[in-house]
Amino acid sequence: MISYQSIQELVELAEKSKRKISEVCLEDQAHEMGKTEQELYDEMERNFDVMVESAEWGKQPGRKSTSGLTGGEGYAMTQYAAKSPIMGGFMGKAVATALAVSNCNAAMGRIVATPTAGSCGILPGCLIPMYKEKGVDKKDIVMSIFTAAAFGMVIANVASIAGAQGGCQAECGSASGMAAAALVEIQGGTPEQCANALGMSVINQLGLVCDPVAGLVEIPCIKRNASGVVIAYSSADMALAGIDLKIPVDECIGAMKEVGDQMSATLKETAAGGLAATPTGKKLKEQVFGK
């Protein structure tokens, strides 16, 4: 039985058994939940199918949030990605996917919280383009989600995945790290490289505050999902290139917890600070809820 108290534990278990982290996690969770590995795999495959459905729904024109504050970001980026985006067509589509899934969430559509609703676009934004644009086998995509999940459980146990507790670093930071690890595994990286990718994503979002305008998971949350995808891809590539993380990944997660604990309550999903407290942020709140 895995404790999910450290990333290093997962890495060592995978290396010792010469397996992928996803395989170690799947076996452990099947035993823990009293199910077969195939049953759990099938459940995860259905989750991935929902991610795809969420992205397709969010990319359609006219998708507005119930508040009226946001909508159409996924559609606009999808149209732009078909042209000549600065970051290239593939990354343009990845960002469009993240925005689309976040649009789906804001419009009260069905999403997979990975690990939260506020960060739901990051993992799909990374995995769906690998599946649809690069032709990665669906089984490899689905299995990589078990690696993401294993790392997410460690972060949840040691630090936090909730914006109300640790700021957006705990939501988008965690999701980005989980996605980066999944990307590394898909590309044939080692368990250690998966861990390094997670750490690189975390350190690049360390201290990110949670300041939702009007207290809604829309502004700036939707756009942070897009940047989380870019950070995940760059972190995965750095890890695969053999770039050293320098600070051990578990220490990075510990630092994230410390920063979250020290963060002002006004910057942890209370909508009392940051962008939510700007003059425009306050006006938008009045637009939704009145004075």
Side-chain angles (χ1 to χ4, degrees), residues 209-215 219-220 224 264-278 281-282:
V209 303
C210 183
D211 51 351
V213 170
I219 303 171
R224 284 183 182 159
S264 167
T266 63
L267 302 174
K268 293 196 281 190
E269 211 171 334
T270 57
L275 294 176
T278 61
K282 292 177 180 178

Side-chain angles (χ1 to χ4, degrees), residues 6 15 23 26 47-48 55 62 73 94 108 119 167 179 181 209 212-213 233 249 266 271 276 282-283:
S6 80
E15 289 179 340
E23 295 169 337
L26 177 57
N47 285 332
F48 179 64
E73 292 88 352
M108 305 303 289
S119 60
V209 303
V213 170
Y233 270 105
V249 61
T266 63
K282 292 177 180 178
K283 287 180 182 178

Side-chain angles (χ1 to χ4, degrees), residues 162-278:
Q165 184 176 359
C168 197
Q169 60 169 6
E171 295 207 19
C172 286
S174 297
S176 185
M178 292 160 61
L183 288 170
V184 169
E185 181 170 298
I186 287 170
Q187 291 296 99
T190 66
E192 185 68 32
Q193 288 175 324
C194 290
N196 287 339
L198 168 69
M200 288 176 190
S201 289
V202 168
I203 64 175
N204 278 297
Q205 292 173 85
L206 200 64
L208 184 60
V209 303
C210 183
D211 51 351
V213 170
L216 303 172
V217 186
E218 299 184 50
I219 303 171
C221 317
I222 292 174
K223 296 179 181 68
R224 284 183 182 159
N225 274 257
S227 61
V229 164
V230 177
I231 289 172
Y233 270 105
S234 61
S235 296
D237 272 339
M238 284 191 286
L240 288 166
I243 295 173
D244 192 357
L245 179 58
K246 299 299 184 183
I247 305 296
V249 61
D250 287 309
E251 292 183 27
C252 293
I253 295 172
M256 184 172 75
K257 173 176 169 49
E258 182 181 359
V259 170
D261 289 345
Q262 294 178 6
M263 193 179 290
S264 167
T266 63
L267 302 174
K268 293 196 281 190
E269 211 171 334
T270 57
L275 294 176
T278 61

Side-chain angles (χ1 to χ4, degrees), residues 54-75:
S54 301
E56 291 304 314
W57 190 90
K59 288 178 181 178
Q60 302 306 311
R63 303 305 194 195
K64 297 288 185 180
S65 68
T66 53
S67 71
L69 292 181
T70 58
E73 292 88 352
Y75 173 74

